[in-house]
Amino acid sequence: MIGGGVIGHGIAWAARRSGRSVALIDDAPGSGASWAAAGMLAPVSELHYQEEALLELMLESSRLWPAFAAGLEPGGAPGTDTGAVDGPGTGYLTTPTLAVGADAADRRALTDLRTVQQSYGLAVEPLTVRAARGREPLLSPGISCAFDIPADHQVDPRRLLARIGELLAADTQSHTINRRAAGLLREDGRVAGASLAGGGSVRARETIVANGLGAAELDGLPEGLRLPLRPVHGDILRLRVPEKLRPLLTATVRGLVRGVPVYIVPRQDGTVVIGATAREDDLGGGSRASAPAGGAVSAGGVYQLLRDAQQLVPAVAELELLEATARARPGTPDNAPLLGRVADQRSHGDVAGLIIATGFFRHGILLTPAAAEICRQLLDGVADPRWARFRPDRFAAGPRAAGTGGSSTRSNNTTNNGAPAAGPRSTPSRNTPSTPEHSKETL
């Protein structure tokens, strides 16, 4: 397993539970985008205009989350579905999400989005402002609208990583190698393991590449394979709620403020997570996989996050700022993951011994159980045709890749009817020119 983020850990755990021995290779496990993530499990809120193909995968992963979390809890029965578990091990919570708007334009945008969500059979119920404030008293009385999304939950990614890491470390058939993978080993036309930076190698029957942006930089990738990954940098804040204000919120709040998304995720330990900007410029100049895991935090991004969060929940002004973090998420031209086996251009089959699992962009935490299950099935020789559209070779030249659902690069900033897109978006034109604005991760 090349890559020790939440996707790599989740797949490694699934592989180990299927009876395989596992070696996880990462020089800084869990310190990349997974460390910064807010952990929203939000297939409904994350329905993006023109990205509907992702919805089936997101809903499937959401369905898998209760059993996945239960299997990680102390005493959890591997492979059994015990239902929703609000447990201490991973911070998995089945609390709902509230979508709120700040002004009339935000209300229209969220209402339009609800129409799309309902067309796919998703539950999004309007609330009066009074009802929303009855559930969350610290919401601003000035919000323009509120919608209840009961199917969107949350998990704490840091606790999730720690829990899987703890379980793998206690298993004699699992090993973590704190080195960076330099490339793939090839032997008789198949992938036979990974070479390590600085020398040495790890040999394996199957190699899964799940190291985010670093996947495209590995030596020895199959001929003709193109992994068009781009870094999308994001700033995210963590704050402590004083005792007198607890609980600040009981549900995740995802809002639009003058057309720009912001979210506030409450944690069980009395902290909240506020995020997240989305920019494709690296202020610190260290976007490549070989750079340190940390990134430069944008001052303008921090200002905007706090300003917009306070407009929805004014008491945010009284919280203690604990941490401002920036990381780069691996995006693709169609914002869908690169997940599956890769066509062998010298034969009519796939390259033996290789699975790719990267490019999850803003959906990595949500899609971890699905990625783990899909990779486990591939290890068992089973390829679910529903997920062929996410094959990693869909951007490669040639007839095999052309039929796998490739898409051209496009903008996600607006919809055909002019409503704001649900994805990371550029600064709204009606903001004052003197205010440094940054786009945000989305409704």
Side-chain angles (χ1 to χ4, degrees):
M1 171 59 60
I2 299 176
V6 68
I7 292 290
H9 272 78
I11 298 171
W13 174 239
R16 184 67 201 99
R17 293 175 82 188
S18 70
R20 295 170 170 88
S21 60
V22 175
L24 189 149
I25 304 171
D26 196 307
D27 56 346
S31 64
S34 301
W35 181 254
M40 292 177 292
L41 310 176
V44 179
S45 299
E46 287 289 346
L47 173 60
H48 292 223
Y49 297 113
Q50 301 180 26
E51 293 182 19
E52 291 85 353
L54 263 176
L55 179 61
E56 184 179 10
L57 182 62
M58 292 193 295
L59 290 173
E60 173 66 10
S61 201
S62 180
R63 184 188 68 80
L64 294 173
W65 253 106
F68 184 79
L72 295 170
E73 295 296 332
T80 61
D81 187 348
T82 58
V85 177
D86 293 357
T90 63
Y92 174 65
L93 298 173
T94 56
T95 51
T97 292
L98 291 181
V100 300
D103 61 22
D106 298 326
R107 181 176 65 247
R108 288 191 296 272
L110 289 175
T111 301
D112 289 345
L113 180 59
R114 176 177 180 252
T115 300
V116 177
Q117 291 164 328
Q118 287 188 310
S119 72
Y120 286 94
L122 305 177
V124 181
E125 298 303 324
L127 299 173
T128 64
V129 171
R130 173 178 289 186
R133 296 192 71 233
R135 289 172 49 170
E136 300 292 348
L138 294 183
L139 280 173
S140 169
I143 61 173
S144 65
C145 65
F147 296 90
D148 179 31
I149 308 177
D152 285 358
H153 304 146
Q154 67 151 298
V155 72
D156 187 333
R158 295 182 179 181
R159 291 170 63 182
L160 175 65
L161 279 164
R163 179 58 181 162
I164 299 177
E166 174 185 295
L167 292 171
L168 292 176
D171 193 322
T172 59
Q173 295 301 308
S174 172
H175 307 279
T176 297
I177 301 171
N178 294 112
R179 301 271 299 279
R180 182 173 63 84
L184 303 177
L185 298 178
R186 305 298 293 272
E187 185 177 279
D188 298 329
R190 66 176 292 125
V191 172
S195 60
L196 304 177
S201 63
V202 179
R203 303 186 70 83
R205 182 181 298 275
E206 294 277 3
T207 301
I208 302 177
V209 175
N211 59 334
L213 293 165
E217 298 182 351
L218 290 173
D219 295 332
L221 289 173
E223 180 182 350
L225 178 63
R226 186 171 71 92
L227 301 178
L229 298 165
R230 73 186 193 282
V232 182
H233 304 270
D235 308 302
I236 192 165
L237 310 177
R238 283 172 168 80
L239 303 94
R240 178 179 290 117
V241 181
E243 291 289 344
K244 65 180 181 179
L245 292 176
R246 295 185 186 182
L248 183 78
L249 297 167
T250 60
T252 296
V253 170
R254 299 180 66 125
L256 278 182
V257 179
R258 296 181 302 278
V260 179
V262 64
Y263 58 73
I264 309 172
V265 183
R267 291 278 191 253
Q268 292 174 302
D269 63 358
T271 63
V272 297
V273 181
I274 298 177
T277 64
R279 48 186 170 79
E280 302 205 13
D281 61 306
D282 176 22
L283 302 178
S287 64
R288 308 315 299 163
S290 57
V297 177
S298 163
V302 172
Y303 163 76
Q304 181 174 322
L305 290 172
L306 291 173
R307 181 199 64 193
D308 292 353
Q310 286 178 57
Q311 183 143 352
L312 302 178
V313 182
V316 165
E318 302 181 47
L319 308 189
E320 175 190 355
L321 180 62
L322 297 177
E323 178 185 315
T325 309
R327 293 292 190 273
R329 295 160 289 192
T332 63
D334 57 5
N335 291 337
L338 305 174
L339 180 60
R341 294 201 182 270
V342 177
D344 188 341
Q345 294 196 349
R346 300 180 182 182
S347 71
H348 295 292
D350 293 327
V351 175
L354 176 64
I355 298 172
I356 304 289
T358 186
F360 288 86
F361 192 23
R362 58 184 174 266
H363 307 302
I365 307 300
L366 168 61
L367 293 180
T368 293
E373 177 62 14
I374 290 168
C375 288
R376 184 198 62 77
Q377 290 178 352
L378 290 172
L379 292 173
D380 290 340
V382 177
D384 191 324
R386 292 180 296 169
W387 318 129
R389 69 189 72 169
F390 304 119
R391 282 182 62 103
D393 50 14
R394 65 183 183 271
F395 297 105
R400 173 67 179 274
T404 58
S407 302
S408 60
T409 303
R410 54 172 171 72
S411 169
N412 293 319
N413 292 343
T414 59
T415 66
N416 292 334
N417 63 4
R425 43 171 306 170
S426 59
T427 303
S429 60
R430 52 180 163 154
N431 286 316
T432 57
S434 61
T435 301
E437 294 289 347
H438 296 254
S439 59
K440 288 184 181 170
E441 192 176 28
T442 171
L443 284 175

